[in-house]
Amino acid sequence: MKTPIRIGYGYDTHRLVAGRKLILGGIEIPHHKGLLGHSDADALLHAICDALLGATNLRDIGFHFPDTDPQYKGVDSRILLRDTFALVKQKGYVLGNMDATIIAEKPKLNPHIPAMQAVIADILETEIGNISIKATTHEKTDAVGNEESMIVQAVVLIVREG
Ligand code: MG
């Protein structure tokens, strides 16, 4: 794998249910519902993991961290992102930039974006200026618009080191 730059795309969705903490971008966001999943269900970090794995052609997050494996029950997805980024570095790449869109009807995510950027930049060993996170609603349509789920899409560019 000698390509100087490589692109990767990731997508994730989780159901939004009562009785769960809302963890997104490695932070807890005050809300009356949270994302449901085997791990902490951090759809943003999962989408970034899949984008990184796509860029390095290393399968997907479910291949590396199966949701049937008890060791990943309730796992902090920051650990999954750190482990995924270690695979990228092993292949000889660093992050160029990451761009994500979170599609969620509620809560308002814009006030929380700088904190998410800081967490992700730290894990991916880059500057905040290389971590873009955008939020949009689903205009009250479909499951996302009915506050039953959230969707995240992410793209990354990785750059060969040296
Ligand atoms: Mg997921």
Side-chain angles (χ1 to χ4, degrees):
M1 200 181 274
K2 291 201 166 69
T3 329
I5 57 171
R6 294 178 66 94
I7 192 169
Y9 164 75
Y11 173 100
D12 196 28
T13 185
H14 281 265
R15 284 171 58 201
L16 195 57
V17 299
R20 291 269 298 187
K21 287 180 181 172
L22 177 57
I23 309 288
L24 207 52
I27 63 166
E28 185 177 340
I29 295 170
H31 194 46
H32 66 285
K33 287 178 173 179
L35 295 171
L36 182 65
H38 184 69
S39 66
D40 65 7
D42 190 327
L44 174 54
L45 298 194
H46 295 178
I48 298 169
C49 284
D50 258 358
L52 291 166
L53 293 168
T56 41
N57 200 353
L58 288 171
R59 305 284 300 265
D60 56 43
I61 190 171
F63 178 81
H64 292 276
F65 314 108
D67 65 5
T68 48
D69 188 334
Q71 73 167 302
Y72 299 120
K73 186 164 170 52
V75 73
D76 181 336
S77 294
R78 291 175 296 185
I79 294 166
L80 306 185
L81 184 59
R82 197 163 276 132
D83 289 355
T84 300
F85 189 57
L87 298 172
V88 173
K89 289 191 290 182
Q90 259 174 37
K91 289 270 182 185
Y93 287 84
V94 294
L95 187 82
N97 69 303
M98 188 289 293
D99 182 27
T101 298
I102 304 166
I103 308 155
E105 206 64 31
K106 281 181 185 167
K108 278 273 171 241
L109 296 171
N110 277 317
H112 304 287
I113 285 176
M116 296 185 206
Q117 285 175 300
V119 168
I120 295 163
D122 181 55
I123 297 170
L124 300 183
E125 299 172 17
T126 191
E127 310 168 15
I128 285 176
N130 293 327
I131 302 297
S132 159
I133 302 168
K134 310 182 301 296
T136 188
T137 71
H138 213 254
E139 292 290 329
K140 296 188 163 58
T141 65
D142 303 331
V144 174
N146 286 327
E147 299 170 49
E148 293 165 10
S149 66
M150 289 186 184
I151 291 172
V152 182
Q153 304 192 41
V155 290
V156 299
L157 192 76
I158 57 170
V159 179
R160 185 147 189 97
E161 215 174 12

